[in-house]
Amino acid sequence: MALHWKLTIDAADPAAQADFWGEALGYTVEDHSALIERLRENGQLPEDSTIRHHDRDAWRDFAAVRHPDDPFEEGTGVGLGRRLLFQRVAEGKTVKNRLHIDVHTEAGRREAEVARLEGLGATVLYEQRQPMGSWTTMADPEGNEYCVE
């Protein structure tokens, strides 16, 4: 039996990270405003737990993106498939990632994709050429490394 999973990434600004990765991957930024409103109406929501982001209520400490073709819960906005969750943490990134995302492009499109990602706020760290393949290692706006192949 396959297990349901999501990749959770520590962040200083979860909403900004969700915006970046949503654009980078072509994923949908999850809209949790209906859930937030329901919890607020029931008196279950501390006032400082939300922010206004893209003209809607959003979690202050969490944001997520999901694959646009995957199912999600209508009442909460939570994705039920391929998903990245960004959670606010107090400490900044200090060492190399132990886990990273590889972004695959169409043949011959890596340089164009790297340029597009730079336009979204990513940084090129280095180019790698190995007998098994070539890739560009980049950092997202918060310094998390990932590769573009």
Side-chain angles (χ1 to χ4, degrees), residues 2 30 44 134 138:
E30 292 183 354
Q44 298 173 298
S134 301
M138 301 185 76

Side-chain angles (χ1 to χ4, degrees), residues 22-33:
E23 284 292 323
L25 298 174
Y27 274 35
T28 301
V29 176
E30 292 183 354
D31 178 358
H32 302 134
S33 60

Side-chain angles (χ1 to χ4, degrees), residues 8 22 35 45 52 55 69 80 95 99-100 121 131:
T8 303
L35 172 61
L45 192 64
R52 290 294 290 174
D55 295 322
D69 296 336
L80 301 172
V95 297
L99 173 73
H100 70 265

